[in-house]
Amino acid sequence: MPKKSSTATRWYSLEFFIELLKPVSAADDFTIGLDQALSWLDQERHAVTGEFDVERGYFFTTCASVQNGNPIYWDDAAIADITGGPTAPLTMLSAWFRPHYWMPGRETIPLPWETHFELKDTLALPEAVATDSEVAFGAPIRPGDRVSCVETLRSLSEVKTTKLGRGRFWVIDCVCRNQDGEWVGTETMTAFGYRKG
Amino acid sequence: MALKDHDSLLAGDVSTGEELPELRHEVSATSVILGALASRDWRPMHHDRDFAQQRNGTRDIFMNTPNQAAWLERYITDWAGPRARLGRYKFRMGDSICPGDTIVFTGRVEDVAPDDTGCHWATLNIELSANDQVKTRFSARVALPADDNDNPWARRGDDWRP
């Protein structure tokens, strides 16, 4: 009867040691660009100011598109009584800092959520999906206002595995203020940047 | 509870578990494009069917996110009235909404409670469906007047905590 060893012995194949000596492939390396991305945490970046003053005509177009008859957008008495003057439909927040389709002399159009696309590139995560979005509304936006926004990376997760692939979750705030610096709203996007498989 | 003219619901009129009235509407290409242009979204998948089908793989052009939010805003204030002030909403989108789809909004009051400033908040869970499928799930927090003399729109600074 063979003698049983008191300590377990595990045998490894030659291929196992060869595999250990191989450099980590880019596909498995989730530290690419990590230090740079972490340096963006809680830093205000990509400030944008709307190219146009807030215009009441857009209010009516938005309301017409969804047949919103709320009197605070249509009825002068309700406007004076309730909102103290015309206000933009709240959910138009992002419209006020989006660039127009064309302007003379403009060569590039700034992208909303630029930090999101920078994270994809910097962390070498070619795919991304927005998983959750949240919007909070502050002071009402009124005709003649000029809205500015600035992005801040709030969090960057450890490497996670989901059914989509491996990658990281991040949360970005886009904080919006009017020309007087008054807070008018914040959009927050949670996204998962990943490599398939 | 149904509203007349410019009336608004008061916080005391609303109770947890209450269902919001259903809203149905058939989406048209015109309304999708109107909504995209009003939100300054010039991306072609919201006005060019060939682009949407070939590049996005969708059935047709589709409603953009701000337009879905505009529908949400209408749905809430149709129910609560003009003094109601939307403070915050979250959403998770699933599938696209295209012209010809009949959208259906349904909702439920999850909670009604005042904050430390005396502002009364209703928390709502809302679903946007089309073709018998939930397309987007929202949760929203809307300020309701406490009484006939209260107006959430008058709140500023620290008195407004959405």
Side-chain angles (χ1 to χ4, degrees), chain B residues 129-149:
Chain B
S129 303
N131 309 323
D132 299 321
Q133 182 188 6
V134 177
K135 303 286 188 175
T136 306
R137 295 180 198 277
F138 300 93
S139 68
R141 188 166 143 85
V142 59
L144 302 175
D147 55 45
D148 289 336
N149 297 316

PDB file of all heavy atoms in Angstrom, chain B residues 129-149:
ATOM      1  N   SER B 129     -44.535  52.918 -20.280  1.00  0.00           N
ATOM      2  CA  SER B 129     -44.626  51.675 -21.065  1.00  0.00           C
ATOM      3  C   SER B 129     -45.054  51.980 -22.491  1.00  0.00           C
ATOM      4  O   SER B 129     -45.664  53.017 -22.769  1.00  0.00           O
ATOM      5  CB  SER B 129     -45.657  50.726 -20.447  1.00  0.00           C
ATOM      6  OG  SER B 129     -45.347  50.443 -19.111  1.00  0.00           O
ATOM      7  N   ALA B 130     -44.754  51.055 -23.356  1.00  0.00           N
ATOM      8  CA  ALA B 130     -45.269  51.083 -24.727  1.00  0.00           C
ATOM      9  C   ALA B 130     -45.278  49.647 -25.221  1.00  0.00           C
ATOM     10  O   ALA B 130     -44.399  48.851 -24.861  1.00  0.00           O
ATOM     11  CB  ALA B 130     -44.414  51.952 -25.638  1.00  0.00           C
ATOM     12  N   ASN B 131     -46.272  49.316 -26.025  1.00  0.00           N
ATOM     13  CA  ASN B 131     -46.370  47.947 -26.568  1.00  0.00           C
ATOM     14  C   ASN B 131     -46.318  46.909 -25.447  1.00  0.00           C
ATOM     15  O   ASN B 131     -45.633  45.879 -25.565  1.00  0.00           O
ATOM     16  CB  ASN B 131     -45.249  47.681 -27.584  1.00  0.00           C
ATOM     17  CG  ASN B 131     -45.169  48.770 -28.639  1.00  0.00           C
ATOM     18  OD1 ASN B 131     -46.194  49.296 -29.072  1.00  0.00           O
ATOM     19  ND2 ASN B 131     -43.967  49.130 -29.043  1.00  0.00           N
ATOM     20  N   ASP B 132     -47.012  47.196 -24.355  1.00  0.00           N
ATOM     21  CA  ASP B 132     -47.094  46.275 -23.206  1.00  0.00           C
ATOM     22  C   ASP B 132     -45.735  45.960 -22.587  1.00  0.00           C
ATOM     23  O   ASP B 132     -45.541  44.885 -22.007  1.00  0.00           O
ATOM     24  CB  ASP B 132     -47.789  44.963 -23.622  1.00  0.00           C
ATOM     25  CG  ASP B 132     -49.211  45.209 -24.096  1.00  0.00           C
ATOM     26  OD1 ASP B 132     -49.877  46.067 -23.481  1.00  0.00           O
ATOM     27  OD2 ASP B 132     -49.638  44.571 -25.076  1.00  0.00           O
ATOM     28  N   GLN B 133     -44.803  46.892 -22.709  1.00  0.00           N
ATOM     29  CA  GLN B 133     -43.467  46.668 -22.147  1.00  0.00           C
ATOM     30  C   GLN B 133     -43.035  47.945 -21.432  1.00  0.00           C
ATOM     31  O   GLN B 133     -43.200  49.048 -21.970  1.00  0.00           O
ATOM     32  CB  GLN B 133     -42.497  46.352 -23.291  1.00  0.00           C
ATOM     33  CG  GLN B 133     -41.096  46.060 -22.854  1.00  0.00           C
ATOM     34  CD  GLN B 133     -40.145  45.950 -24.044  1.00  0.00           C
ATOM     35  OE1 GLN B 133     -40.525  46.202 -25.193  1.00  0.00           O
ATOM     36  NE2 GLN B 133     -38.919  45.577 -23.779  1.00  0.00           N
ATOM     37  N   VAL B 134     -42.495  47.799 -20.219  1.00  0.00           N
ATOM     38  CA  VAL B 134     -41.994  48.977 -19.509  1.00  0.00           C
ATOM     39  C   VAL B 134     -40.704  49.425 -20.186  1.00  0.00           C
ATOM     40  O   VAL B 134     -39.756  48.654 -20.326  1.00  0.00           O
ATOM     41  CB  VAL B 134     -41.737  48.668 -18.019  1.00  0.00           C
ATOM     42  CG1 VAL B 134     -41.140  49.882 -17.327  1.00  0.00           C
ATOM     43  CG2 VAL B 134     -43.027  48.246 -17.336  1.00  0.00           C
ATOM     44  N   LYS B 135     -40.705  50.676 -20.618  1.00  0.00           N
ATOM     45  CA  LYS B 135     -39.529  51.206 -21.334  1.00  0.00           C
ATOM     46  C   LYS B 135     -38.603  51.973 -20.401  1.00  0.00           C
ATOM     47  O   LYS B 135     -37.396  51.948 -20.561  1.00  0.00           O
ATOM     48  CB  LYS B 135     -39.984  52.147 -22.457  1.00  0.00           C
ATOM     49  CG  LYS B 135     -40.932  51.516 -23.461  1.00  0.00           C
ATOM     50  CD  LYS B 135     -40.198  50.574 -24.383  1.00  0.00           C
ATOM     51  CE  LYS B 135     -41.120  50.109 -25.508  1.00  0.00           C
ATOM     52  NZ  LYS B 135     -40.412  49.279 -26.489  1.00  0.00           N
ATOM     53  N   THR B 136     -39.191  52.741 -19.470  1.00  0.00           N
ATOM     54  CA  THR B 136     -38.389  53.554 -18.548  1.00  0.00           C
ATOM     55  C   THR B 136     -39.066  53.541 -17.186  1.00  0.00           C
ATOM     56  O   THR B 136     -40.284  53.660 -17.093  1.00  0.00           O
ATOM     57  CB  THR B 136     -38.273  55.009 -19.054  1.00  0.00           C
ATOM     58  OG1 THR B 136     -37.776  55.008 -20.390  1.00  0.00           O
ATOM     59  CG2 THR B 136     -37.332  55.816 -18.177  1.00  0.00           C
ATOM     60  N   ARG B 137     -38.246  53.397 -16.154  1.00  0.00           N
ATOM     61  CA  ARG B 137     -38.746  53.483 -14.776  1.00  0.00           C
ATOM     62  C   ARG B 137     -38.190  54.761 -14.153  1.00  0.00           C
ATOM     63  O   ARG B 137     -36.994  55.034 -14.252  1.00  0.00           O
ATOM     64  CB  ARG B 137     -38.274  52.281 -13.960  1.00  0.00           C
ATOM     65  CG  ARG B 137     -38.833  50.971 -14.450  1.00  0.00           C
ATOM     66  CD  ARG B 137     -38.335  49.801 -13.597  1.00  0.00           C
ATOM     67  NE  ARG B 137     -38.518  48.536 -14.300  1.00  0.00           N
ATOM     68  CZ  ARG B 137     -39.658  47.860 -14.311  1.00  0.00           C
ATOM     69  NH1 ARG B 137     -40.690  48.323 -13.647  1.00  0.00           N
ATOM     70  NH2 ARG B 137     -39.756  46.727 -14.986  1.00  0.00           N
ATOM     71  N   PHE B 138     -39.082  55.510 -13.541  1.00  0.00           N
ATOM     72  CA  PHE B 138     -38.698  56.764 -12.899  1.00  0.00           C
ATOM     73  C   PHE B 138     -39.034  56.690 -11.413  1.00  0.00           C
ATOM     74  O   PHE B 138     -40.008  56.040 -11.023  1.00  0.00           O
ATOM     75  CB  PHE B 138     -39.524  57.939 -13.445  1.00  0.00           C
ATOM     76  CG  PHE B 138     -39.406  58.207 -14.921  1.00  0.00           C
ATOM     77  CD1 PHE B 138     -40.300  57.654 -15.825  1.00  0.00           C
ATOM     78  CD2 PHE B 138     -38.418  59.057 -15.405  1.00  0.00           C
ATOM     79  CE1 PHE B 138     -40.223  57.940 -17.179  1.00  0.00           C
ATOM     80  CE2 PHE B 138     -38.337  59.349 -16.760  1.00  0.00           C
ATOM     81  CZ  PHE B 138     -39.238  58.784 -17.652  1.00  0.00           C
ATOM     82  N   SER B 139     -38.258  57.413 -10.625  1.00  0.00           N
ATOM     83  CA  SER B 139     -38.743  57.799  -9.308  1.00  0.00           C
ATOM     84  C   SER B 139     -38.601  59.314  -9.250  1.00  0.00           C
ATOM     85  O   SER B 139     -37.665  59.875  -9.836  1.00  0.00           O
ATOM     86  CB  SER B 139     -37.993  57.114  -8.178  1.00  0.00           C
ATOM     87  OG  SER B 139     -36.681  57.586  -8.121  1.00  0.00           O
ATOM     88  N   ALA B 140     -39.531  59.970  -8.618  1.00  0.00           N
ATOM     89  CA  ALA B 140     -39.530  61.427  -8.613  1.00  0.00           C
ATOM     90  C   ALA B 140     -39.917  61.939  -7.233  1.00  0.00           C
ATOM     91  O   ALA B 140     -40.645  61.276  -6.487  1.00  0.00           O
ATOM     92  CB  ALA B 140     -40.515  61.959  -9.656  1.00  0.00           C
ATOM     93  N   ARG B 141     -39.424  63.123  -6.932  1.00  0.00           N
ATOM     94  CA  ARG B 141     -39.726  63.784  -5.658  1.00  0.00           C
ATOM     95  C   ARG B 141     -40.300  65.136  -6.020  1.00  0.00           C
ATOM     96  O   ARG B 141     -39.642  65.967  -6.671  1.00  0.00           O
ATOM     97  CB  ARG B 141     -38.405  63.914  -4.904  1.00  0.00           C
ATOM     98  CG  ARG B 141     -38.442  64.383  -3.508  1.00  0.00           C
ATOM     99  CD  ARG B 141     -37.052  64.079  -2.909  1.00  0.00           C
ATOM    100  NE  ARG B 141     -36.597  65.115  -2.005  1.00  0.00           N
ATOM    101  CZ  ARG B 141     -36.922  65.182  -0.724  1.00  0.00           C
ATOM    102  NH1 ARG B 141     -37.713  64.263  -0.202  1.00  0.00           N
ATOM    103  NH2 ARG B 141     -36.445  66.151   0.029  1.00  0.00           N
ATOM    104  N   VAL B 142     -41.537  65.358  -5.633  1.00  0.00           N
ATOM    105  CA  VAL B 142     -42.223  66.584  -6.023  1.00  0.00           C
ATOM    106  C   VAL B 142     -42.755  67.283  -4.770  1.00  0.00           C
ATOM    107  O   VAL B 142     -43.310  66.637  -3.874  1.00  0.00           O
ATOM    108  CB  VAL B 142     -43.345  66.284  -7.053  1.00  0.00           C
ATOM    109  CG1 VAL B 142     -44.376  65.326  -6.509  1.00  0.00           C
ATOM    110  CG2 VAL B 142     -44.000  67.556  -7.550  1.00  0.00           C
ATOM    111  N   ALA B 143     -42.527  68.610  -4.727  1.00  0.00           N
ATOM    112  CA  ALA B 143     -43.000  69.396  -3.580  1.00  0.00           C
ATOM    113  C   ALA B 143     -44.447  69.806  -3.821  1.00  0.00           C
ATOM    114  O   ALA B 143     -44.790  70.310  -4.896  1.00  0.00           O
ATOM    115  CB  ALA B 143     -42.124  70.635  -3.403  1.00  0.00           C
ATOM    116  N   LEU B 144     -45.281  69.589  -2.816  1.00  0.00           N
ATOM    117  CA  LEU B 144     -46.706  69.943  -2.893  1.00  0.00           C
ATOM    118  C   LEU B 144     -47.007  71.020  -1.855  1.00  0.00           C
ATOM    119  O   LEU B 144     -46.424  71.010  -0.768  1.00  0.00           O
ATOM    120  CB  LEU B 144     -47.574  68.712  -2.606  1.00  0.00           C
ATOM    121  CG  LEU B 144     -47.377  67.502  -3.514  1.00  0.00           C
ATOM    122  CD1 LEU B 144     -48.227  66.327  -3.008  1.00  0.00           C
ATOM    123  CD2 LEU B 144     -47.745  67.841  -4.953  1.00  0.00           C
ATOM    124  N   PRO B 145     -47.920  71.937  -2.161  1.00  0.00           N
ATOM    125  CA  PRO B 145     -48.261  72.951  -1.156  1.00  0.00           C
ATOM    126  C   PRO B 145     -48.904  72.314   0.068  1.00  0.00           C
ATOM    127  O   PRO B 145     -49.679  71.360  -0.047  1.00  0.00           O
ATOM    128  CB  PRO B 145     -49.239  73.868  -1.902  1.00  0.00           C
ATOM    129  CG  PRO B 145     -49.678  73.138  -3.107  1.00  0.00           C
ATOM    130  CD  PRO B 145     -48.641  72.112  -3.433  1.00  0.00           C
ATOM    131  N   ALA B 146     -48.556  72.881   1.237  1.00  0.00           N
ATOM    132  CA  ALA B 146     -49.131  72.370   2.485  1.00  0.00           C
ATOM    133  C   ALA B 146     -50.572  72.835   2.648  1.00  0.00           C
ATOM    134  O   ALA B 146     -51.408  72.129   3.208  1.00  0.00           O
ATOM    135  CB  ALA B 146     -48.291  72.838   3.668  1.00  0.00           C
ATOM    136  N   ASP B 147     -50.842  74.068   2.170  1.00  0.00           N
ATOM    137  CA  ASP B 147     -52.196  74.628   2.268  1.00  0.00           C
ATOM    138  C   ASP B 147     -52.369  75.639   1.142  1.00  0.00           C
ATOM    139  O   ASP B 147     -51.463  75.828   0.323  1.00  0.00           O
ATOM    140  CB  ASP B 147     -52.429  75.253   3.642  1.00  0.00           C
ATOM    141  CG  ASP B 147     -51.372  76.291   3.986  1.00  0.00           C
ATOM    142  OD1 ASP B 147     -51.054  77.113   3.102  1.00  0.00           O
ATOM    143  OD2 ASP B 147     -50.858  76.266   5.120  1.00  0.00           O
ATOM    144  N   ASP B 148     -53.516  76.312   1.139  1.00  0.00           N
ATOM    145  CA  ASP B 148     -53.809  77.228   0.027  1.00  0.00           C
ATOM    146  C   ASP B 148     -52.874  78.431  -0.015  1.00  0.00           C
ATOM    147  O   ASP B 148     -52.767  79.098  -1.057  1.00  0.00           O
ATOM    148  CB  ASP B 148     -55.260  77.718   0.121  1.00  0.00           C
ATOM    149  CG  ASP B 148     -56.243  76.595  -0.223  1.00  0.00           C
ATOM    150  OD1 ASP B 148     -55.830  75.655  -0.934  1.00  0.00           O
ATOM    151  OD2 ASP B 148     -57.403  76.658   0.237  1.00  0.00           O
ATOM    152  N   ASN B 149     -52.190  78.731   1.075  1.00  0.00           N
ATOM    153  CA  ASN B 149     -51.280  79.878   1.105  1.00  0.00           C
ATOM    154  C   ASN B 149     -49.825  79.490   0.828  1.00  0.00           C
ATOM    155  O   ASN B 149     -48.954  80.360   0.782  1.00  0.00           O
ATOM    156  CB  ASN B 149     -51.347  80.575   2.471  1.00  0.00           C
ATOM    157  CG  ASN B 149     -52.732  81.138   2.725  1.00  0.00           C
ATOM    158  OD1 ASN B 149     -53.326  81.749   1.838  1.00  0.00           O
ATOM    159  ND2 ASN B 149     -53.252  80.901   3.924  1.00  0.00           N
TER     160      ASN B 149
END
